[in-house]
Amino acid sequence: PIWTLDLGSNKIGNAGAADLAKALAQASSLQFLGLAANRLGDECARDLSKVLPRFPELQELNLAGNKLSAAGAKALATAIAKHSLKDLVLSENALGDEGASHIADAFGETCGLLTLQLCGVGLGNAGAAALATRMQKQPGLRELWLGGNVIEDAGALDLACALEKHGELRTLALDKNRISDKGVMEFVAVLIRLCKDRDLQEMTTNFCGNPTRRFNEDTLSNLTVAARVARLISRRSIKFENMLKFWKDYTGIGWIDEDGASTQKVVDDVIIPESKGYGACYAEFYHSFLAEFYVVHSWQGLFGDLLRAIATHASGFTDPALDPFHEQYQRRPEAMPKRYFVDVFCVDQARTYPEGDPRCETDKFDFVLHELSRREVKVIVAMDRDYCPMTRTWCITEVHHAKQLNMQLMVSFGPIRPMPRRRRGLTFNDLSASVEADGVLLKEELTLRGLGVGEKFEDAIIRPLQKQAVQTYK
């Protein structure tokens, strides 16, 4: 008996394929048939569809690199719909959206497909949508290869939504398509949601070769890794009482200057060394999960001002103490267990993966905010004595994302002081970032998300924040 027959790249043509089909009529044990790059057209596909039922044990059919069109795909789909064939390779054929839709129509209870390869077939958004719509009909599907096509953001999002409903797909290859940063970010947001109910350790989503700058090629080779990291970050928090104890411990031994240490200096002198020593993110020391509040703040401001702003919010006192044993907190015990997402504690500052790396934690704040918004977490802008958040590109970008996600936004002060004159009437051009590359990246991302960085952005984000800070002060 014949189990495997690979006749790839032999220029068989339609006439030869018809003769071959007759010769193999009795080869019922055939499990693999390779006919790639043989100049086979739609007539061959129709002949194969007629004889396919004679090969009940056929597991893989490779017809890549031939001359099949949508008509040939339709003929094959009729036979595949009622066959136990596991792997079908139709890459590098001119199937287009119509051909992909025909193949998707084969999905159903009597179709055995586990792997479908449609790379370089001219597949666009319509074809991707057809596959996404029908994917639920094929719960056994494990691999879908769609690289080298013309799928754009809309098609990628349709496929992402299909992943949420399918549940069993292990490989989705969308490399070398036309998916932009926006499409990639929306896809990652869907993957983060999937992390809630599924272990994505075995899932691979390949976006290499797309016109995107948000991630590097290492990340794009498997976006699932970035999604898992973002999901992990979004579940961290630190209780207010633990921040007070941190302050008391390290000011007590002189590691933190109570009056002059910036947040950046505290991170460099205390948090990074301690995190390296324990081999974990600082918030993980306390095993506190699921923040109630997300804190926007400037690393250039005083660390003591940051904690006072959080203390003001947590306790309601306008001049809160930073001593966890102060009598204020005996009167307001409900303040102590409140949980906050503060990046200096909740993002691993010790592991210095480059931005764009799937394991990097410092470049995923937008995904973290998106996940927190689903849990109705509120956002607090911690305003230090110099109103530094009003001048920082990172802070304003976080505020922008929070507003886009319809998250409740509040301003809380460290020391309660009026807005300095130099902070009034700021425009986007007045904003700055410590790392120039970050400023460029953030401007590109804001432009990508619709508002741009001009007067429209200032009217929607910067001026309302200035107004809210003034009203909160009053």
Side-chain angles (χ1 to χ4, degrees):
I2 300 175
W3 289 285
T4 300
L5 182 61
D6 190 352
L7 296 173
S9 302
N10 276 297
K11 303 179 182 178
I12 293 174
N14 287 333
D19 293 337
L20 178 64
K22 294 176 183 178
L24 290 175
Q26 303 304 316
S28 59
S29 60
L30 193 65
Q31 296 181 6
F32 171 83
L33 178 58
L35 295 173
N38 272 301
R39 302 179 181 176
L40 306 178
D42 295 336
E43 184 180 342
C44 172
R46 284 188 283 268
D47 290 338
L48 280 174
S49 67
K50 293 175 183 177
V51 301
L52 202 59
R54 300 178 187 176
F55 308 124
E57 296 184 27
L58 188 67
Q59 299 295 300
E60 183 174 350
L61 176 60
N62 188 346
L63 291 169
N66 282 290
K67 296 183 178 181
L68 304 181
S69 72
K74 184 176 183 179
L76 286 170
T78 302
I80 294 166
K82 300 177 181 180
H83 199 280
S84 60
L85 183 74
K86 298 294 186 290
D87 299 342
L88 177 62
V89 184
L90 293 175
S91 300
E92 306 302 329
N93 284 286
L95 305 183
D97 288 332
E98 184 183 353
S101 298
H102 289 319
I103 297 300
D105 287 339
F107 292 167
E109 293 182 1
T110 57
C111 178
L113 281 181
L114 298 178
T115 300
L116 176 60
Q117 296 190 37
L118 296 174
C119 300
V121 299
L123 178 66
N125 290 340
L131 289 166
T133 301
R134 296 287 296 176
M135 199 183 296
Q136 294 179 69
K137 302 285 186 179
Q138 194 65 24
L141 192 68
R142 295 294 182 272
E143 299 182 17
L144 183 58
W145 299 77
L146 302 176
N149 285 296
V150 290
I151 300 170
E152 298 174 334
D153 295 349
L157 186 58
D158 285 336
L159 290 165
C161 294
L163 281 181
E164 290 191 271
K165 300 174 183 178
H166 189 274
E168 297 297 333
L169 200 70
R170 293 291 174 265
T171 299
L172 177 59
L174 289 168
D175 51 303
K176 299 178 182 178
N177 276 279
R178 298 179 181 177
I179 304 166
S180 72
D181 280 308
K182 183 178 180 181
V184 170
M185 289 188 287
E186 289 175 343
F187 198 96
V188 173
V190 172
L191 290 176
I192 293 172
R193 293 201 297 270
L194 279 176
C195 291
K196 180 180 179 181
D197 302 314
R198 292 170 53 187
D199 181 4
L200 300 186
Q201 293 277 2
E202 297 179 0
M203 179 181 283
T204 300
T205 50
N206 185 355
F207 278 69
C208 287
N210 280 284
T212 172
R213 297 180 59 185
R214 178 65 169 79
F215 293 116
N216 61 22
E217 287 294 292
D218 187 24
T219 301
L220 292 173
S221 67
N222 189 5
L223 281 178
T224 310
V225 177
R228 292 207 314 267
V229 170
R231 168 74 175 172
L232 175 65
I233 300 169
S234 72
R235 294 184 61 79
R236 295 174 183 156
S237 72
I238 183 168
K239 291 181 181 178
F240 172 56
E241 62 181 326
N242 293 133
M243 286 187 276
L244 291 181
K245 290 176 182 177
F246 174 88
W247 173 263
K248 184 174 179 62
D249 289 346
Y250 289 103
T251 54
I253 61 176
W255 285 26
I256 296 177
D257 179 356
E258 291 187 39
D259 301 316
S262 67
T263 300
Q264 178 72 66
K265 185 169 178 58
V266 171
V267 170
D268 292 340
D269 294 351
V270 182
I271 293 178
I272 289 179
E274 292 290 271
S275 297
K276 285 181 177 178
Y278 285 97
C281 167
Y282 206 93
E284 292 179 349
F285 300 169
Y286 301 108
H287 305 287
S288 179
F289 303 104
L290 301 182
E292 300 169 272
F293 308 97
Y294 178 99
V295 181
V296 175
H297 67 98
S298 168
W299 284 36
Q300 280 62 48
L302 295 180
F303 183 69
D305 286 1
L306 168 61
L307 290 192
R308 286 186 182 89
I310 296 172
T312 296
H313 173 267
S315 66
F317 293 116
T318 56
D319 186 22
L322 297 185
D323 181 350
F325 304 109
H326 195 277
E327 59 89 20
Q328 284 182 333
Y329 302 115
Q330 295 177 14
R331 288 189 281 148
R332 301 279 176 84
E334 68 276 9
M336 303 303 271
K338 289 182 179 179
R339 303 183 304 276
Y340 295 82
F341 184 99
V342 187
D343 58 357
V344 297
F345 295 113
C346 297
V347 174
D348 194 336
Q349 306 296 337
R351 297 182 183 179
T352 54
Y353 296 113
E355 289 189 1
D357 187 286
R359 298 160 295 177
C360 178
E361 295 194 4
T362 59
D363 66 350
K364 295 179 175 59
F365 77 96
D366 47 347
F367 299 121
V368 171
L369 271 171
H370 191 280
E371 183 64 14
L372 294 180
S373 72
R374 288 164 49 80
R375 300 203 300 265
E376 299 184 351
V377 170
K378 300 176 178 62
V379 175
I380 300 167
V381 180
M383 206 66 73
D384 57 68
R385 66 189 63 195
D386 203 31
Y387 284 63
C388 286
M390 305 294 302
T391 71
R392 308 304 295 175
T393 309
W394 270 109
C395 296
I396 297 300
T397 303
E398 288 174 278
V399 171
H400 165 268
H401 289 356
K403 285 201 169 189
Q404 278 206 326
L405 294 166
N406 296 315
M407 300 176 77
Q408 183 177 336
L409 187 72
M410 298 171 280
V411 174
S412 184
F413 290 92
I416 300 178
R417 296 185 179 181
M419 183 184 294
R421 288 185 179 275
R422 67 182 183 281
R423 301 303 190 215
R424 299 175 186 176
L426 292 173
T427 67
F428 191 89
N429 291 330
D430 297 318
L431 305 182
S432 61
S434 300
V435 180
E436 184 177 351
D438 286 352
V440 173
L441 178 65
L442 291 172
K443 286 183 180 181
E444 289 179 353
E445 187 168 320
L446 290 171
T447 300
L448 179 70
R449 290 178 184 257
L451 285 177
V453 294
E455 188 172 343
K456 185 177 179 181
F457 179 89
E458 292 162 7
D459 288 341
I461 307 298
I462 296 179
R463 293 188 185 99
L465 178 61
Q466 293 171 344
K467 183 179 180 180
Q468 188 173 3
V470 171
Q471 290 176 338
T472 304
Y473 166 76
K474 289 179 179 180

